[in-house]
Amino acid sequence: MDSARMLEGYGRVAGGLIPQGHPMGGPSGKRVVWGEGIWPAEMILVRDMIKLKHDFIRSIVMEPPVRFVVHSPAGPVSGRVSQPGVRGGLLRALTTDLGTKASAVRIEADGRLWWLRGVGPVGARIERATGERIFFTRRLHGVVTAHADDLDVSVALLAFTAIPSSAYHPVFGF
């Protein structure tokens, strides 16, 4: 378990990494989030998407979207995470991909679409495709908005804990 926190309105929430080879982590490993008032969720790690040594998502790994599952009471909800603005080789990654549009992370599940973006030098926000914020950081605190439902919260927490800030925070132009 990497972290455990109290989330106002949701109780204790924990997130962690199950390493590859572990019976519950499978051959690739998983990033998981669970808690008292949220639906558990897991993101299947792809190749070297998130390494313990190098906490960074490389564009080449995001080419195929990363899969995740939220375990709702009605059954599993499958989803995927991609970074559509990040494509190409090293030169492009060092130039074009430094813009804010390139750094947006796209999250899709159950016919819904969310965007994870960096805000300011250290903040983040997750909003629905309609523009409604469902999760954002304020200083060192995560805030779930009143618009968020159970799927929003599970997806937001999984994405926020599984995707390192280096993926959605470009070096310039935040």
Side-chain angles (χ1 to χ4, degrees):
M1 175 170 45
D2 291 346
S3 65
R5 302 274 189 259
M6 288 296 293
L7 185 61
E8 189 174 329
Y10 295 91
R12 287 181 284 188
V13 177
L17 176 69
I18 302 174
Q20 72 181 57
H22 185 279
M24 293 178 66
S28 300
K30 294 180 185 176
R31 178 65 77 169
V32 296
V33 66
W34 69 97
E36 296 173 342
I38 66 163
W39 296 343
E42 58 190 48
M43 183 177 290
I44 294 88
L45 303 183
V46 177
R47 288 180 269 168
D48 295 330
M49 181 183 83
I50 301 172
K51 291 183 177 182
L52 293 176
K53 295 179 201 168
H54 309 289
D55 202 24
F56 188 76
I57 293 182
R58 302 182 195 288
S59 60
I60 182 174
V61 177
M62 292 294 276
E63 278 295 333
V66 177
R67 297 173 302 142
F68 67 88
V69 176
V70 174
H71 299 281
S72 81
V77 176
S78 297
R80 60 191 196 154
V81 176
S82 61
Q83 203 165 5
V86 178
R87 298 284 185 253
L90 179 60
L91 180 60
R92 180 172 171 167
L94 293 173
T95 57
T96 310
D97 290 346
L98 294 177
T100 54
K101 288 184 181 176
S103 65
V105 174
R106 179 184 173 113
I107 306 164
E108 302 170 85
D110 199 31
R112 297 189 197 182
L113 173 64
W114 299 267
W115 290 96
L116 168 62
R117 293 181 172 91
V119 179
V122 295
R125 75 173 179 257
I126 298 177
E127 56 189 32
R128 292 181 185 148
T130 57
E132 290 177 298
R133 279 193 308 181
I134 58 155
F135 179 86
F136 63 96
T137 58
R138 181 180 294 146
R139 294 178 210 79
L140 297 176
H141 300 283
V143 178
V144 177
T145 69
H147 300 291
D149 62 20
D150 290 338
L151 181 58
D152 289 327
V153 173
S154 294
V155 166
L157 292 175
L158 180 65
F160 189 70
T161 60
I163 299 171
S165 63
S166 56
Y168 57 82
H169 265 287
V171 176
F172 302 108
F174 58 74

